[in-house]
Each structure stands twice: as structure tokens, then as C-alpha cells.
Amino acid sequence: MSAFSSNPSSAPCNNNVGFLQKNNSLEERSRIVSSFKEKHSSSKNLRSCENSDTESRFRRAETDFSNLFARDLLPAKNGEEPTMQFLLEVVDILTNYVRKTFDRSTKVLDFHHPHQLLEGMEGFNLELSEQPESLEQILVDCRDTLKYGVRTGHPRFFNQLSSGLDIIGLAGEWLTSTANTNMFTYEIAPVFVLMEQLTLKKMREIIGWPNGEGDGIFSPGGAISNMYSVMVARYKYFPEAKTKGMSAVPRLVLFTSEHSHYSIKKSGAALGFGVENVILLKSDERGRVIPADLEAKIIEAKQKGYVPLFVNATAGTTVYGAFDPIDEIADLCEKYNMWLHVDGAWGGGLLMSRKHRHKLSGIERANSVTWNPHKMMGVPLQCSAILVREKGLLQGCNQMCAGYLFQPDKQYDVTYDTGDKAIQCGRHVDIFKFWLMWKAKGTIGFEQHINKCLELSEYLYNKIKDREGFEMVFRGEPQHTNVCFWYVPPSLRGMPDCEERRERLHKVAPKIKAMMMESGTTMVGYQPQGDKVNFFRMVISNQAATKSDIDFLIEEIERLGQDL
Amino acid sequence: MSAFSSNPSSAPCNNNVGFLQKNNSLEERSRIVSSFKEKHSSSKNLRSCENSDTESRFRRAETDFSNLFARDLLPAKNGEEPTMQFLLEVVDILTNYVRKTFDRSTKVLDFHHPHQLLEGMEGFNLELSEQPESLEQILVDCRDTLKYGVRTGHPRFFNQLSSGLDIIGLAGEWLTSTANTNMFTYEIAPVFVLMEQLTLKKMREIIGWPNGEGDGIFSPGGAISNMYSVMVARYKYFPEAKTKGMSAVPRLVLFTSEHSHYSIKKSGAALGFGVENVILLKSDERGRVIPADLEAKIIEAKQKGYVPLFVNATAGTTVYGAFDPIDEIADLCEKYNMWLHVDGAWGGGLLMSRKHRHKLSGIERANSVTWNPHKMMGVPLQCSAILVREKGLLQGCNQMCAGYLFQPDKQYDVTYDTGDKAIQCGRHVDIFKFWLMWKAKGTIGFEQHINKCLELSEYLYNKIKDREGFEMVFRGEPQHTNVCFWYVPPSLRGMPDCEERRERLHKVAPKIKAMMMESGTTMVGYQPQGDKVNFFRMVISNQAATKSDIDFLIEEIERLGQDL
């Protein structure tokens, strides 16, 4: 009767091992191992040993999802088993994806044009319909969604300031979605609200504000954090703008460098300043703002009768990775009584490194700071903080005292409720993954990550600065991990600097990028900047990247670009 | 040599069955089964059958996490096995949490005051430190975070407009965090960008705009969606405000009802209109705006020389669940050439129901609509859409044409890039869980969910409208699932309506709520409204709720309030 007696005990596993040995790809192997696992946990052989319902319900079993639908899952009656089986199946898809993401033999992406995906790929149909699909189809859709996506955690994905797939951060996000709550009150997010408070305080300490005093909030991204800074600055100097609007205050102007992030201009447009009143400052050849230009433009604005309100200093510009000289800007802000904001969305992470934090020297003099852990610190998207030195401004600026949400007569200390500080009502829990990563790595773990990324970019810089066919966009070692360069194909190397060369060089990076994406081997961004034609911007924030990936990138650019 | 020959084949499972039978709680049982599973997958018995490394690495095994750290996980060398073991352990915690959430014998919350959690609960320490914690501690932290949180998916959680834990939505969020990408370009989110596009079109079709034409974007929440509507309205009528600011345009006024969401006022403050230029309209006793009051106030504003720009009609107010008469408001918007926005953050979901969508009649005449699937449709937070009838406005309003992000010379059709429509730069993927739920439920699945929630609120209304000790805040059947009522304890029942009674009644709901939270049995919101003292606002969007939960709520309020 026992399956064990009817089978030689070692036979099935030997069979499986043999099967495995024939297959070399990790993907293939993991699929087989999964199916092996399924068979073992549901086959008659083992069933005979696990014939109790109570036992088998919580293990992954072979489930026929083709006859199951969303309505069969919890809270449906008897929904527990299909729910668990479905979730475990999803987890199997996800863990396979995670594994493959770190495997360099996996492509970064499997590129398709929009029309191709819209027409439907082998049973992957994006259209929504009246009737439900089976859970089997839903699982196929999950697999296909990942298949046709981009592996932003792949060691050779360098396309964005946010890259990498941190396992602790991922676990944190899974938990966050399972908890599915809202940051607006302590009442429904007690633990997360406290984590946010403690983490923001720690960040303020690291910025250098005395005792970590001040305020802050996590927002849905750096652009909105920057928008907060402009709002709070306006409220500090012209609180009447909140009630009476921008027509009741003098013409206010904001200053930011030509290399800064476009979100300052977006804020100017959105908040009623007008883009014309966002004055762009000149940068030096390295992308750092020129303080003398700031002072000249402040004086010019005042002569016109405008009121200089706000200066944004960027700590880590998007393209060059430049750090504006914060101390010199702070002097001018003090002299002219202006708000100093530091946009450290990209470069704020360097504060965690004793070796590199001097690049943000003077940040402790800022009135507000944007700092996105989802960029340089490798936290999953979205995780951005706006930190404000003066307490009470965020609340004063944004509160509307909605009685239905923020009842003063609750049984707990309602100063912990955060909703009235925010421009949002409901607010996603962005803190947990970050808090968990900090616990798991320690402050020193973040420091090591930052230092390693900067070492890698130094390695890249040293490798290409004198290499044939490579031309640096600016001289000298980059301040951040941004390395900006042109690849000059052999056909252009002899050519003098003329309009034709510029035009042809302008097309090189887009062509190489297109080929990269179509071959799926790696991804790196490019753009023009000012009068400079398209160049590659390499950035490293991915903890999976190594020197060999840098070598690969260089060789891949040469391989794809040699005949252009 | 074989473990199978050295053990009678049925012995170990019989032992386990016996053990299981002694334990009755589901929680206890699931823990045992997990540990049974662990033992079986890692015990010597089975190991002998699975002694190949390639086989055993992908199954959950007994792992000693006390000596493992984040640095041992992928991308570390040999990081694959600990990574998989760690993730599976996290999933075990999460699936246990999911199971218990749907179990009515589980508490909704285990309430603690902020100072208690801050002081540290039995080894749960929120403070961040220099040095890393072991993965064992990280797992403990995950368990504790859930333990001290609030189960927003519990069948008896009625505290917020967003409630419930949809399993498909949850799976969608897990996948989204694993993909960890960014909506700003097709380049790095091809599938998600197309899903967003198709889903927004479907939503516009359901609104009733011809062929689903128009535009839209998912934003981080209803408040920001509403903010978009005001920005786009301003851009449509006064595009120069984008470049020159609010001081270059006439004094613009916005209209919204006194019952509407505070985000319209927040938008007025943030965008430079000023709160004083957000004119509040009177509502009837049911919370619906009075169109005659709107017209009177439009005329009054014009007489003062102001320009009426924008009317917000709420489809489902936050407290009463009232639907403003959209058609009548649309007539006035046409007559006075104003932008009509419908804030359907809460009530938009009713469009999915053939039975209830008439409550939003006229919505097809709106210029823009806010619709939060994360509320009435049960999608996990965050998922909010702003939909705009006229194409091109979102882009025109927000674009800054940042060359480093939105290169026109990419190899694919860059009109699919969404970044320049948004006030954000990076944008979280909010679409996938919603798209997946729609696939899994079908349009009819959402319809059934909506209808069921409204039936439940009707059940509640009928049950308490004449019940002793209950007093309705407004007469007649609610339009949405909001049921607003006072519980009048026996001590107040005989008392005539005087200031003392009002003062005492005002304190009843907060007291009952505090007791509810401390006993952890259920959660429902309360608030004052206008001159009405604190009353309970019951809302139902949780698919797990049943009539028995409604009965429970009523009895629990009576139990807790009888001696007040």
C-alpha cells in the first residue's frame, strides 16, 4: 500500500537528477526543480504519507487553476486553500524572476514596440473584458508581464538613477502591500507612522540639523518633494499666499541652475509663480552653479522690483552628477534673506558616506532638503523625503483641519497624525521598506553601498578617459557616479569638429541605445545637454553591478557602435 | 541507507496528525503545518532522497537566519539559496497574516499608544542603528510590524473609504514591487504603460466620453488627482498662468460644496489661487450641493470682477456619501463657460454598476473626473486616476521637455512616454494590480462587488433607522454606502434636545471608538459635520463584510455604549 514500498526509494530522485544534468540554463533548471517539488508534494507517492486535509492545505500542491476564479479566493467560503495555492504560485513566478534578474545570462529586456504588445503576444492580451478570466490565465498574465518588462535590477541595467533590486527592500514592499494601509493617521498606521517619524529624525541628524529637530514627510517622489519645498518657502515668507493667493503677494522669483531638475520649473508653473519667474543660473563646465551668477541675478531681480524668495542648490545633478557649492549659496541666501533648498534627490545618499559627504558640505544650513532613498540608496521606488529645518511650517502650510479625518478628541496623542502636513489625503506607506533595509544593513551598510558605487564609476572613468573612441563630456573625475561620454565610432574619429561631425555624432548614442535595447544586453541612458550633442550618461546605483559589468558595457558600446 | 527503509512509511505523518488534532486554533495549526513542512523538506529522511544541491536549493528549508545578514543575499556570491529561503520565510509570515485577516476570531488591531510602541515592545525596537541586524531579527521585525498594525482587510474594519484585502490585487502589488520600475517612459515600463493607457481608455468609455477619447494619468491619490483638475482647468482658460504666474491672470475663483473633500481647498492654497478664492457652496440636508446657490455665487463673483473658473461636483461625499446633481451643475458650467470637474474619488466606482450609475448621471458632461479604484473598487492603495476629456491639456499644462529623460530620437513611438504629462518625474506603477483585478473579476465582478456593498449598507440602514438608541443624521436611504448615525446611550434617551445633551452626545462616539480600538473588535469612523455633533459614519467597501458583521457592529456599539 505504501508508495515507498512500491518504489525503490532512490529511483525517482535519480531520475530527476539525470534530467537536471541534461539542462544547463538556470532558468530551465529552476523550472524543473519547481515542478519536481510540485510532484513530490502532490504525487500519490507522498500523498499516501500526507493524506490528512489539514496537512496538505498549506503546502504548494498541484492545483488546477483553470477552473478557479477570483471569486473562489478569500473571503469566499472555503477560499483559504485556493488563496494559499494561488499566492504560492505567484511567489514561485516572482522568485524565479528574482533569480534570473541576477543572472547575467538573462537579458535585461525583451524589447517590443508598442504596436506589437498591443496586437497581443502569444496569448498575452492586454484588453479588459466583461467576464472574468481563470486564475490560470491570471498566472500566465503575471509571467508575461514580467517577460515583456525591463529588469531594472539586472546587474547591467544602468538606465536610470533608480536601479537594483534589494531583497530586503523587496520583502518590505511585499509586507507593505499586505498591510495595505494609509499613512494619514496614527489610528490606522501606528507602526508605520512611528517608523517614518524616527527615520526622518535620523535623516535630519545626518544632514546636521541640531538634535535632528525639524519636520518632514515622505512624498511620492522627488518632484513632489521639491514642490513641497517651494510651497513651504512661500508660506514662511508670505503666509497670506495660502489664503489670498499669489495675486496678493509681490512678484516672487525662484532660482535654480540650468543643470537642475525640471521639477523646480514644474513647481513654479503649478504653484502659480510662472515659469518665467524661475530664473536659471549658469553652471560651470562641470555643471556646478556659479554663485556669482546667482548674486548678479538676485540683484537684477530686486532692481526690477521682484522679491527673490528661494534658491535651489542641487546636490547631484541628473546628468553630470554635479554638486552645487552649498556653502557659498547659503551665504547669499543669508545675505538676501532667502530660503535655501537642497535638492539631494540623487546625491543625498552620499551623506551616508564619511568619504563622500563633504560634497554636500553646507547642507546643514539649508532650510529644506529633498532626499530620495529610492535612488542612490537602492530602496525600491517610491521613497522620497522632504525634510524641513523649521518645525510647524509643513503643517501650517498645508493644514485644512478636516474634521472627518483628524478628530482632535481621539484617545491617543493626535500630534502623531501626519495627514494635515501633506498635500495628499491618503498616502502610501513608503517608509517600511526603507526602515527595514536600514535595520538590515545598518548605517554602515548604506555607506559601503555608496562607496562601492562611487568606486565603480571611478573605475569606469579611469578606463575610458584615455581610451580610443571615447571622449569625456567634462574633464576630471566625476563627483557622483555619473560618467558622461561620447562614443566616437571609427568613421568619425579623423573628422575635424564641424557641423557635419556634430550632426553625425548626435545620432550615434540613439543608434547604439536602440541596438542595445533590441539585443537586450544592457541599458544606459543618453541625452543632449545645452549645446552638447547626444552623449551617454552612465550612472551606478545598482548593488549588483561589478567591474566586469562595466567592462561589458564598454565592450558592448564598441561592438554595437564600430560600424556607425 | 535509505531513510524510507529505516522508518515505517506512515509513522511520521500519523504523529503529526495526532499533534494537529490536539490544536484547535487555525493560527496554531498553520504554524505547525509550516513547521511540519519545513521538517519534511529538510529532515534527514527526505534529504536522503534529495541529496543533490540543485534540487534542495529551491525549497523552503530550515535555515538558521541568526548568522545570516542582508549582505549574504543576492547579489552576493552564493546568495541565491539564502535569498530564496529568506523570501519564502517572509511569504510564510505574510500568508499567515492574510489567513488570519479573514478570520473573525482575529482582532482588527492590538492597540498601543505611541509612547508604548516607542518605548519598545518585547524586543520590537524601532530605532535604527549603525550595525546590521541578523535576518532572524529582520523576520521578527516583520512579524511585529504586522502584529502592532491594523488589519484594514478584516471583515470588521469599516474605518476608512479604503478597506478590504483583495487577493488578486495583493498578488499584483507583489509583482509590481518585484518589477520595481517607473512609469515615466515606455522604455523602462513598456507593459505597464500600455496597461495604463488601455485601462484609462476603458474608464473614459465607462464615464461616457465618445469612443473613450481623452487623456488621463494615475496619480498618487485623489487629492493630487483633484489638484491636476484645477491645474488643467487653469491651463485651458489661462495658459499664460503657466509661464507668467497667477499675478498675470484675473482673480480666478473655484467652487465646491461645503461637504466636498478638503483637497479642493488644498489645491486652491497650493496652486496660488488662495483659499479665499475657493468658494464653498451650500448643500441640502442630504449633503448634495444646491445648484441655485452655485448660480447665485457665480453671479456674485462676477459682479465683484472675479472670474469663475471651475466647479467641483462631488460624486460621493466623504461623510454623507452624497452625489451632487451633476447635470444641473453642468448646465451652469456651460452657461457661464466654466470647467466642470467631478470628484468621484469615492463614488466613481458606482459607474461600474448598471443599478447605481444613474447617481452620477451627467458625468459624461464633465471636463475632468477623479476616480479612485483604491476606494470603492477594493484595489490596494494607491490607485487613483485623473481623467480629462480634452486630449493634450495634461501634456500642455505640465510639459517641460527635459531632454535627459524624454529623448525624441528614441527608436520607438515616444508618444507613449507619459512623464511630461505628470507633475511627478518618477512615478510608481499603480496600474498593474488594478489591471490584474479587472482581468480576474471582469467588469461584472466589479459590478457585483459594488452592488453587494450597497445592499449591505441598505441592510444596515433598515436595521437601525427605527432601532431604539439609534438616530439617523439625515433622513432617507443613503445614496452611497455611507450610513451616518448617532448612538444615543440610555442615559441620554429621555433628555430633551438642549446644549447639555448635545455636549454629552458629542462625547459618545469618541468614547465608543476608543473602547472599540482598545478591545480591537471592530473599527468605524466618527466626526462632527457643520453644527452636528460627533456621529458615526459607517462605510462599506470591504468585500469580506457580510450581514453578520453589520449585526456585530450594531451590537458592539450597543454593548460599549450602554453605560455612557
Side-chain angles (χ1 to χ4, degrees):
Chain A
M1 279 299 285
S2 158
F4 296 141
S5 57
S6 69
N7 273 319
S9 64
S10 57
C13 43
N14 278 352
N15 282 349
N16 270 283
V17 170
F19 192 9
L20 281 166
Q21 282 165 345
K22 276 183 250 159
N23 290 277
N24 293 319
S25 98
L26 183 60
E27 176 186 8
E28 196 56 31
R29 249 166 44 191
S30 77
R31 191 179 310 138
I32 294 155
V33 173
S34 291
S35 103
F36 168 83
K37 181 178 156 190
E38 271 179 25
K39 273 184 211 133
H40 269 242
S41 61
S42 65
S43 70
K44 268 199 213 153
N45 291 4
L46 286 186
R47 274 258 183 265
S48 68
C49 176
E50 294 156 17
N51 51 7
S52 147
D53 268 341
T54 41
E55 282 170 2
S56 60
R57 78 202 300 184
F58 302 132
R59 56 176 59 215
R60 188 153 161 253
E62 234 167 57
T63 304
D64 178 7
F65 290 106
S66 67
N67 285 316
L68 285 172
F69 291 85
R71 61 176 173 263
D72 300 312
L73 302 177
L74 284 172
K77 200 162 176 282
N78 303 322
E80 191 169 294
E81 170 148 8
T83 298
M84 294 302 127
Q85 294 306 325
F86 173 73
L87 288 177
L88 292 180
E89 200 68 33
V90 170
V91 167
D92 193 60
I93 294 169
L94 300 181
T95 50
N96 268 315
Y97 179 83
V98 170
R99 261 199 295 271
K100 287 174 65 181
T101 290
F102 289 97
D103 174 1
R104 290 178 174 76
S105 70
T106 306
K107 279 186 174 188
V108 176
L109 80 165
D110 182 7
F111 180 76
H112 292 84
H113 284 280
H115 68 90
Q116 295 173 304
L117 288 176
L118 286 171
E119 282 155 14
M121 309 291 297
E122 305 158 26
F124 185 33
N125 174 8
L126 296 173
E127 290 292 341
L128 301 167
S129 62
E130 289 296 304
Q131 297 301 319
E133 306 266 15
S134 72
L135 294 184
E136 185 173 51
Q137 181 60 44
I138 294 302
L139 291 167
V140 168
D141 289 342
C142 287
R143 278 186 207 99
D144 285 344
T145 298
L146 292 171
K147 176 173 159 56
Y148 298 113
V150 176
R151 295 179 182 272
T152 59
H154 194 287
R156 290 172 184 166
F157 176 85
F158 303 110
N159 209 61
Q160 241 65 42
L161 304 183
S162 310
S163 64
L165 180 59
D166 187 274
I167 300 299
I168 303 286
L170 177 62
E173 274 295 70
W174 287 1
L175 185 144
T176 299
S177 4
T178 312
N180 190 31
T181 195
N182 190 319
M183 291 297 284
F184 51 28
T185 60
Y186 177 85
E187 182 170 324
I188 63 162
V191 183
F192 298 130
V193 162
L194 296 178
M195 284 172 176
E196 180 174 77
Q197 198 195 56
L198 288 170
T199 307
L200 288 169
K201 182 164 195 287
K202 194 91 181 170
M203 294 172 86
R204 290 190 301 261
E205 283 167 10
I206 289 169
I207 286 171
W209 291 336
N211 301 315
E213 286 296 315
D215 209 341
I217 198 163
F218 280 82
S219 96
I224 291 186
S225 291
N226 283 342
M227 184 185 275
Y228 269 112
S229 73
V230 178
M231 287 173 65
V232 170
R234 178 175 64 187
Y235 179 74
K236 168 71 180 176
Y237 287 91
F238 298 95
E240 64 272 30
K242 178 178 175 182
T243 44
K244 296 186 185 301
M246 287 297 276
S247 55
V249 300
R251 184 158 163 182
L252 306 175
V253 290
L254 317 172
F255 299 90
T256 193
S257 92
E258 56 193 10
H259 275 251
S260 70
H261 191 261
Y262 66 86
S263 54
I264 302 293
K265 273 165 77 179
K266 280 210 181 187
S267 300
L271 304 181
F273 292 81
V275 174
E276 284 178 4
N277 297 309
V278 181
I279 297 177
L280 295 187
L281 305 172
K282 279 190 204 146
S283 303
D284 65 17
E285 74 292 347
R286 296 286 305 261
R288 294 169 300 205
V289 86
I290 299 168
D293 190 56
L294 169 61
E295 182 154 29
K297 281 174 176 153
I298 292 172
I299 292 168
E300 196 187 327
K302 286 169 79 85
Q303 281 167 348
K304 288 185 188 159
Y306 308 160
V307 175
L309 176 75
F310 170 102
V311 181
N312 171 58
T314 307
T317 60
T318 314
V319 181
Y320 284 16
F323 287 81
D324 287 341
I326 301 177
D327 257 325
E328 292 171 64
I329 298 170
D331 290 342
L332 292 172
C333 286
E334 277 169 23
K335 183 170 171 187
Y336 294 100
N337 190 28
M338 299 171 72
W339 185 276
L340 172 58
H341 174 66
V342 172
D343 176 3
W346 171 224
L350 271 63
L351 290 169
M352 307 297 283
S353 159
R354 281 163 287 191
K355 186 171 171 194
H356 296 287
R357 65 167 288 140
H358 69 89
K359 293 169 187 173
L360 295 99
S361 168
I363 193 169
E364 69 286 355
R365 298 170 68 188
N367 300 98
S368 57
V369 172
T370 291
W371 176 354
N372 288 10
H374 74 219
K375 292 198 165 82
M376 195 59 206
M377 293 168 78
V379 178
L381 201 85
Q382 63 190 42
C383 191
S384 169
I386 171 70
L387 300 134
V388 181
R389 194 170 63 194
E390 184 177 331
K391 220 170 171 163
L393 289 180
L394 264 179
Q395 180 92 7
C397 176
N398 291 308
Q399 77 182 348
M400 296 289 155
C401 300
Y404 53 82
L405 193 51
F406 311 113
Q407 303 84 14
D409 47 11
K410 290 179 186 172
Q411 90 271 35
Y412 61 84
D413 178 356
V414 294
T415 60
Y416 286 92
D417 289 350
T418 67
D420 243 3
K421 285 183 193 176
I423 55 169
Q424 302 187 258
C425 174
R427 188 160 61 92
H428 187 260
V429 177
D430 298 333
I431 184 61
F432 181 66
K433 58 197 166 196
F434 181 34
W435 179 90
L436 197 69
M437 282 174 67
W438 203 322
K439 276 270 176 186
K441 289 171 192 289
T443 310
I444 61 153
F446 282 123
E447 178 176 46
Q448 287 159 356
H449 169 69
I450 304 286
N451 289 349
K452 189 197 145 199
C453 290
L454 280 139
E455 277 161 31
L456 275 182
S457 66
E458 201 185 324
Y459 174 80
L460 169 62
Y461 168 74
N462 285 323
K463 195 149 176 179
I464 60 173
K465 69 175 186 222
D466 301 317
R467 191 181 180 99
E468 198 187 354
F470 287 81
E471 229 172 83
M472 305 310 292
V473 172
F474 57 83
R475 280 156 194 268
E477 239 177 63
Q479 292 186 281
H480 205 327
T481 71
N482 308 49
V483 180
C484 296
F485 60 90
W486 288 282
Y487 172 72
V488 186
S491 67
L492 292 181
R493 284 184 202 162
M495 200 180 279
D497 188 11
C498 60
E499 197 49 38
E500 193 202 333
R501 185 181 188 270
R502 281 174 52 83
E503 275 174 24
R504 286 179 58 187
L505 187 58
H506 188 57
K507 290 177 184 151
V508 169
K511 280 184 189 157
I512 293 178
K513 173 69 178 275
M515 289 187 282
M516 253 178 203
M517 285 180 66
E518 271 153 43
S519 65
T521 47
T522 181
M523 276 178 86
V524 58
Y526 73 85
Q527 67 287 298
Q529 168 86 36
D531 59 356
K532 296 188 163 67
V533 300
N534 277 324
F535 55 86
F536 285 112
R537 178 207 62 176
M538 176 68 179
V539 280
I540 302 165
S541 61
N542 189 338
Q543 62 173 333
T546 62
K547 288 183 182 172
S548 73
D549 300 308
I550 304 294
D551 295 341
F552 177 85
L553 176 85
I554 296 170
E555 285 156 24
E556 187 69 357
I557 288 176
E558 288 175 333
R559 180 179 77 83
L560 296 168
Q562 62 186 348
D563 296 328
L564 293 180
Chain B
M1 279 299 287
S2 158
F4 296 140
S5 58
S6 70
N7 274 319
S9 63
S10 56
C13 43
N14 279 353
N15 283 348
N16 270 282
V17 170
F19 192 10
L20 281 165
Q21 283 165 344
K22 277 183 251 160
N23 290 277
N24 294 319
S25 98
L26 183 60
E27 176 188 7
E28 195 56 30
R29 251 166 43 192
S30 76
R31 193 179 310 138
I32 293 154
V33 173
S34 291
S35 103
F36 168 82
K37 183 176 156 192
E38 271 178 27
K39 275 185 209 130
H40 269 243
S41 60
S42 64
S43 71
K44 267 199 216 155
N45 292 2
L46 285 185
R47 275 257 183 266
S48 69
C49 177
E50 295 155 16
N51 52 7
S52 146
D53 268 342
T54 41
E55 282 170 3
S56 60
R57 77 203 301 184
F58 302 132
R59 56 175 58 214
R60 187 154 162 253
E62 235 168 58
T63 304
D64 178 6
F65 291 107
S66 67
N67 285 317
L68 286 172
F69 290 86
R71 61 175 173 262
D72 301 311
L73 303 177
L74 283 172
K77 200 162 176 282
N78 303 321
E80 192 169 292
E81 171 150 7
T83 298
M84 294 303 126
Q85 294 307 326
F86 173 73
L87 288 176
L88 292 180
E89 200 68 34
V90 170
V91 167
D92 193 60
I93 293 169
L94 300 181
T95 50
N96 268 316
Y97 180 83
V98 170
R99 261 198 296 270
K100 286 174 66 181
T101 289
F102 289 97
D103 174 1
R104 289 177 176 76
S105 70
T106 305
K107 280 185 175 190
V108 176
L109 80 165
D110 182 7
F111 180 77
H112 291 84
H113 284 279
H115 68 90
Q116 294 174 303
L117 288 175
L118 286 172
E119 284 156 13
M121 309 290 298
E122 303 158 27
F124 185 35
N125 175 8
L126 296 173
E127 291 292 341
L128 301 166
S129 61
E130 289 295 304
Q131 297 300 319
E133 306 267 15
S134 72
L135 294 184
E136 186 172 52
Q137 180 60 44
I138 293 302
L139 291 166
V140 169
D141 289 340
C142 286
R143 278 186 207 100
D144 285 344
T145 298
L146 292 171
K147 176 173 160 55
Y148 298 113
V150 176
R151 295 180 182 270
T152 59
H154 193 287
R156 291 171 183 166
F157 176 84
F158 303 109
N159 208 62
Q160 241 66 42
L161 303 184
S162 310
S163 63
L165 181 59
D166 187 274
I167 300 299
I168 303 287
L170 178 62
E173 274 295 71
W174 287 1
L175 186 144
T176 299
S177 3
T178 312
N180 189 31
T181 194
N182 191 319
M183 292 297 283
F184 50 29
T185 60
Y186 178 86
E187 182 170 323
I188 63 161
V191 182
F192 299 130
V193 162
L194 296 179
M195 285 171 175
E196 180 175 75
Q197 198 195 55
L198 288 170
T199 307
L200 287 169
K201 183 163 194 288
K202 194 90 182 170
M203 293 171 87
R204 290 190 302 261
E205 283 167 12
I206 289 168
I207 286 171
W209 292 335
N211 300 316
E213 287 295 316
D215 209 341
I217 199 163
F218 280 82
S219 95
I224 291 186
S225 291
N226 283 343
M227 184 186 275
Y228 269 111
S229 73
V230 179
M231 286 173 65
V232 170
R234 178 175 63 186
Y235 179 74
K236 169 72 179 173
Y237 287 90
F238 297 94
E240 64 272 30
K242 178 178 175 182
T243 44
K244 296 185 183 303
M246 288 296 275
S247 54
V249 300
R251 184 158 163 181
L252 307 175
V253 290
L254 317 172
F255 300 90
T256 192
S257 93
E258 57 193 10
H259 275 250
S260 70
H261 192 260
Y262 66 85
S263 54
I264 302 293
K265 275 166 78 178
K266 279 209 182 187
S267 300
L271 304 181
F273 292 81
V275 174
E276 283 179 5
N277 297 309
V278 181
I279 297 177
L280 294 187
L281 305 172
K282 279 189 204 147
S283 303
D284 66 17
E285 75 293 347
R286 297 286 304 260
R288 294 169 301 205
V289 86
I290 299 168
D293 189 56
L294 169 59
E295 182 153 29
K297 282 175 175 153
I298 292 173
I299 292 168
E300 195 187 325
K302 286 168 81 85
Q303 281 168 347
K304 287 183 188 162
Y306 307 160
V307 175
L309 176 77
F310 170 101
V311 181
N312 171 58
T314 307
T317 59
T318 313
V319 180
Y320 284 15
F323 287 80
D324 287 341
I326 302 176
D327 258 324
E328 292 171 65
I329 297 170
D331 290 342
L332 291 172
C333 286
E334 278 168 22
K335 182 170 171 187
Y336 294 100
N337 189 29
M338 297 170 72
W339 184 276
L340 172 57
H341 175 66
V342 173
D343 176 4
W346 172 225
L350 271 64
L351 291 169
M352 306 298 284
S353 159
R354 282 163 286 192
K355 185 169 172 195
H356 295 287
R357 64 168 289 140
H358 69 89
K359 294 169 186 171
L360 295 98
S361 168
I363 193 170
E364 70 286 354
R365 298 170 68 188
N367 300 96
S368 57
V369 172
T370 291
W371 177 353
N372 288 9
H374 75 219
K375 293 199 165 81
M376 195 60 203
M377 294 168 79
V379 178
L381 200 85
Q382 62 190 43
C383 191
S384 170
I386 171 70
L387 300 133
V388 181
R389 194 169 64 194
E390 183 177 331
K391 220 171 171 162
L393 288 181
L394 263 179
Q395 180 93 7
C397 177
N398 290 309
Q399 77 182 347
M400 295 289 154
C401 300
Y404 55 82
L405 194 51
F406 312 114
Q407 303 84 17
D409 46 11
K410 290 180 186 170
Q411 90 271 36
Y412 62 84
D413 179 356
V414 295
T415 60
Y416 286 92
D417 289 351
T418 67
D420 244 3
K421 284 182 192 175
I423 55 168
Q424 301 187 259
C425 174
R427 188 160 61 92
H428 188 259
V429 177
D430 297 333
I431 184 61
F432 181 67
K433 58 198 165 195
F434 182 32
W435 178 89
L436 197 69
M437 281 174 68
W438 204 321
K439 276 270 174 184
K441 289 170 192 290
T443 311
I444 61 153
F446 282 123
E447 178 175 45
Q448 286 160 355
H449 169 68
I450 304 285
N451 289 348
K452 190 197 146 200
C453 289
L454 279 140
E455 277 160 31
L456 275 182
S457 67
E458 202 185 322
Y459 173 81
L460 169 63
Y461 168 74
N462 285 323
K463 196 148 175 179
I464 62 173
K465 68 176 186 221
D466 301 317
R467 191 181 181 100
E468 198 186 355
F470 287 80
E471 228 172 86
M472 305 309 292
V473 173
F474 57 85
R475 279 155 194 269
E477 239 177 64
Q479 292 186 280
H480 204 328
T481 69
N482 307 49
V483 180
C484 296
F485 60 90
W486 289 280
Y487 172 72
V488 186
S491 68
L492 293 182
R493 284 183 203 164
M495 203 180 280
D497 189 10
C498 60
E499 196 49 37
E500 192 202 332
R501 185 182 188 268
R502 282 173 50 82
E503 275 174 24
R504 285 179 59 187
L505 187 58
H506 188 57
K507 290 178 185 153
V508 169
K511 279 185 190 157
I512 293 177
K513 173 69 178 276
M515 288 187 283
M516 255 179 201
M517 285 181 67
E518 270 152 44
S519 65
T521 47
T522 182
M523 276 177 85
V524 58
Y526 73 86
Q527 66 288 298
Q529 169 85 35
D531 59 357
K532 296 188 162 67
V533 301
N534 278 324
F535 54 87
F536 285 112
R537 178 206 63 176
M538 176 68 180
V539 281
I540 302 165
S541 61
N542 188 340
Q543 63 173 331
T546 63
K547 287 182 182 172
S548 73
D549 299 308
I550 304 292
D551 296 341
F552 177 85
L553 177 84
I554 296 170
E555 285 156 25
E556 187 68 358
I557 288 175
E558 288 174 334
R559 181 180 77 84
L560 296 169
Q562 63 185 349
D563 297 327
L564 292 179

